[in-house]
Amino acid sequence: MSPALSSSSKTEPAYQVLSFQPHQDAEARRYIKRKSHPKSRGGCVGCKLSRVKCDEGKPSCARCLRCNAECQYMSLDQRKPARKSASLKWAQEKDAAVFSPCAPPFAFAQPSAVTLANTCLQSRSPARGVSRVSLLHHISQNFNAAHSLDTVCAQLPFVVSLGMSRPYLLDVTLAVAACHLRHMYQTSTAASDTISACRESSDSVLVSAMMFNLLSFTLDDNDDPARSWVFNQVPNRLAWFSMSMGLAPLLINTKQFHERSRLRHIFDASDDEERTYHGDDPKPLSKVSPHWLRLCGLDYASDDPEHVFYEPVRVLAELLTTPVNNQSFFLYMAFFGKVGAEFRSLLEHDSEPAMWILGYWLGLLCRFDHIWWLSARARRDYRAICIWLDKRKVRRRPGAEGLMWRRLLVDLEGATQQPLEAAISSLHKPDPFELLD
């Protein structure tokens, strides 16, 4: 800047600002002094870190409300005296914000398009199918008008922003976008290439669900049976169970894509050649022990697969002698495809038959002690259910009920044992008199 002579004012010279542009002459414009304004001494942490003026609104300032961020103010004893230098004051405020227990407000601001694109491009898009950038564009352009996604769309900037530091969340969000894209074009004959790409994206939806199921099993790693969901009444104590149940509808709705799926080996390993586990035809209860049937209110003449215990107890009887290996693991997990909302409701209301059935299945899963994400929860909850049944003194009940429970608990305590070849020959359909003892 250079001072220019002014006839109107000799004490306050008028300054000019020179602007230089490539291949152009320098341009001069009058320098306008910025108006003074009172400084914000009591602004929130987010505004101070961004070095913008805070309106000091309580409980949240206007900027934090606009950015959907948590607004936090420092207490009076945390504020520094005004006589300190601006650089020292800003550094101290920054340190205070770093060690603040709340999350930085600016972390939840809406990210720019360039930042989102760079994030998606950091990992390669699939060789076939819709690219990650295209799916992100589909989210920004279509989700606001998507039916029944209003609640999610209201927080979409927050979800995508959070996904910047948590890739699994971003991947699942993109998988949802691919699923919605398939829904939009599944009846269109003019977009066959898009339909094909969307069909291939069903694998990403299924893998994401499987990964979340894995997380739901392994996040609660406390091995104390007393800390199990069995002994508390927290409303969401069976959230892990509900999440695992959610995989079955996804498998049903993507069944048309399984033939060309890269997960074909998993689908093939989930049933045997006789389609014992997932066949469409009703299967008899011939392998189920009589005291199991009595517990469930069934008998060998029952032919209603819609009964809440029919399919679960039938599958458990099949798993009793199923060998333990990497291929048979998916047969054991078929149990989750046989339980539904009614079974979960019975667990919530402490149904003894439902607890025994789930406990027996968890005991069977204990056979896979080499699977790190599965064995800890299976052992803990299995032991918790055994303790829970003992506390209810089911063994001491009189008459036929007590005899039934004594046999059931012997079976439950032996569920963790590896299956023996001799057990196959011992399974038979009992005579009618055996049902009465």
Side-chain angles (χ1 to χ4, degrees):
M1 293 184 297
S2 61
L5 297 177
S6 173
S7 59
S8 60
S9 177
K10 295 183 180 180
T11 58
E12 296 181 7
Y15 287 89
Q16 291 184 340
V17 179
L18 297 179
S19 300
F20 296 91
Q21 299 292 337
H23 311 293
Q24 294 182 8
D25 296 332
E27 294 182 359
R29 60 179 175 83
R30 184 172 177 271
Y31 171 74
I32 300 176
K33 185 178 180 181
R34 192 169 115 180
K35 294 181 180 180
S36 62
H37 61 274
K39 296 184 180 295
S40 174
R41 301 294 182 186
C44 69
V45 175
C47 291
K48 286 183 178 294
L49 287 177
S50 301
R51 308 198 74 178
V52 297
K53 180 175 174 58
C54 179
D55 64 358
E56 301 184 22
K58 303 293 177 60
S60 178
C61 70
R63 179 176 176 274
C64 290
L65 284 175
R66 186 173 64 255
C67 298
N68 192 25
E70 182 178 358
C71 187
Q72 180 174 353
Y73 292 89
M74 291 187 297
S75 59
L76 292 176
D77 55 344
Q78 289 178 309
R79 299 179 186 175
K80 306 304 177 184
R83 64 176 179 269
K84 292 189 176 182
S85 65
S87 59
L88 178 60
K89 180 175 181 292
W90 179 82
Q92 291 173 337
E93 290 173 347
K94 181 179 179 182
D95 292 339
V98 168
F99 294 101
S100 175
C102 71
F106 54 83
F108 303 104
Q110 183 171 358
S112 65
V114 175
T115 305
L116 289 177
N118 290 337
T119 301
C120 287
L121 289 172
Q122 286 177 2
S123 58
R124 297 179 58 186
S125 294
R128 297 183 299 170
V130 183
S131 67
R132 295 166 63 85
V133 175
S134 298
L135 292 175
L136 190 65
H137 177 74
H138 177 73
I139 291 176
S140 62
Q141 296 298 318
N142 297 280
F143 265 38
N144 288 334
H147 179 64
S148 74
L149 288 173
D150 300 339
T151 303
V152 177
C153 293
Q155 300 294 330
L156 185 61
F158 165 74
V159 173
V160 178
S161 176
L162 199 59
M164 310 291 264
S165 58
R166 296 163 179 83
Y168 61 86
L169 176 59
L170 184 60
D171 289 341
V172 173
T173 305
L174 296 180
V176 172
C179 187
H180 179 249
L181 188 63
R182 176 184 62 81
H183 170 75
M184 290 180 61
Y185 291 100
Q186 63 184 356
T187 58
S188 172
T189 57
S192 58
D193 292 340
T194 305
I195 296 174
S196 177
C198 292
R199 286 176 178 174
E200 293 170 1
S201 68
S202 67
D203 284 354
S204 64
V205 177
L206 292 174
V207 172
S208 298
M210 293 175 186
M211 291 298 182
F212 273 117
N213 287 347
L214 185 152
L215 285 174
S216 70
F217 257 83
T218 192
L219 283 179
D220 189 2
D221 57 356
N222 192 308
D223 60 356
D224 183 4
R227 303 292 297 274
S228 171
W229 58 269
V230 177
F231 295 109
N232 66 56
Q233 297 299 321
V234 178
N236 63 342
R237 62 181 182 143
L238 287 171
W240 67 276
F241 191 83
S242 300
M243 183 172 291
S244 297
M245 282 171 47
L247 183 59
L250 284 177
L251 291 170
I252 294 174
N253 291 325
T254 59
K255 189 174 181 178
Q256 56 182 320
F257 308 137
H258 291 181
E259 286 293 328
R260 297 169 57 187
S261 171
R262 298 188 68 177
L263 305 176
R264 175 71 180 274
H265 66 287
I266 296 179
F267 305 141
D268 292 342
S270 299
D271 211 342
D272 55 17
E273 294 180 355
E274 291 77 21
R275 298 191 57 78
T276 303
Y277 297 87
H278 299 293
D280 298 328
D281 299 330
K283 303 296 189 300
L285 301 174
S286 56
K287 289 189 176 182
V288 183
S289 299
H291 47 287
W292 293 19
L293 294 177
R294 181 173 181 177
L295 172 73
C296 300
L298 298 168
D299 55 46
Y300 288 105
S302 301
D303 58 355
D304 181 16
E306 299 301 321
H307 190 283
V308 63
F309 296 136
Y310 188 100
E311 282 296 303
V313 77
R314 183 187 69 82
V315 169
L316 289 184
E318 296 288 347
L319 294 175
L320 178 61
T321 56
T322 301
V324 177
N325 52 52
N326 292 336
Q327 290 72 30
S328 66
F329 172 74
F330 298 103
L331 297 178
Y332 281 78
M333 298 305 292
F335 174 82
F336 264 122
K338 306 304 179 183
V339 293
E342 186 178 358
F343 188 91
R344 183 186 186 278
S345 178
L346 291 173
L347 290 175
E348 289 178 335
H349 291 85
D350 294 338
S351 165
E352 292 176 350
M355 281 288 195
W356 184 90
I357 289 175
L358 180 60
Y360 192 88
W361 177 68
L362 291 170
L364 295 177
L365 290 187
C366 290
R367 299 173 176 181
F368 294 88
D369 55 358
H370 59 285
I371 299 182
W372 64 271
W373 59 267
L374 178 74
S375 57
R377 174 183 283 276
R379 284 196 306 269
R380 185 198 68 178
D381 291 348
Y382 163 73
R383 290 161 55 200
I385 291 178
C386 291
I387 296 171
W388 184 84
L389 289 172
D390 270 337
K391 285 186 174 182
R392 297 176 80 95
K393 301 180 180 179
V394 294
R395 300 178 195 259
R396 302 182 184 180
R397 292 179 182 174
E401 184 182 8
L403 177 62
M404 175 194 72
W405 274 111
R406 286 191 288 274
R407 291 182 174 181
L408 287 169
L409 291 184
V410 168
D411 292 344
L412 180 61
E413 291 162 358
T416 60
Q417 303 300 317
Q418 298 291 337
L420 301 175
E421 293 295 330
I424 300 179
S425 59
S426 65
L427 293 173
H428 66 286
K429 182 175 179 179
D431 296 327
F433 69 88
E434 294 183 12
L435 302 178
L436 303 177
D437 59 3

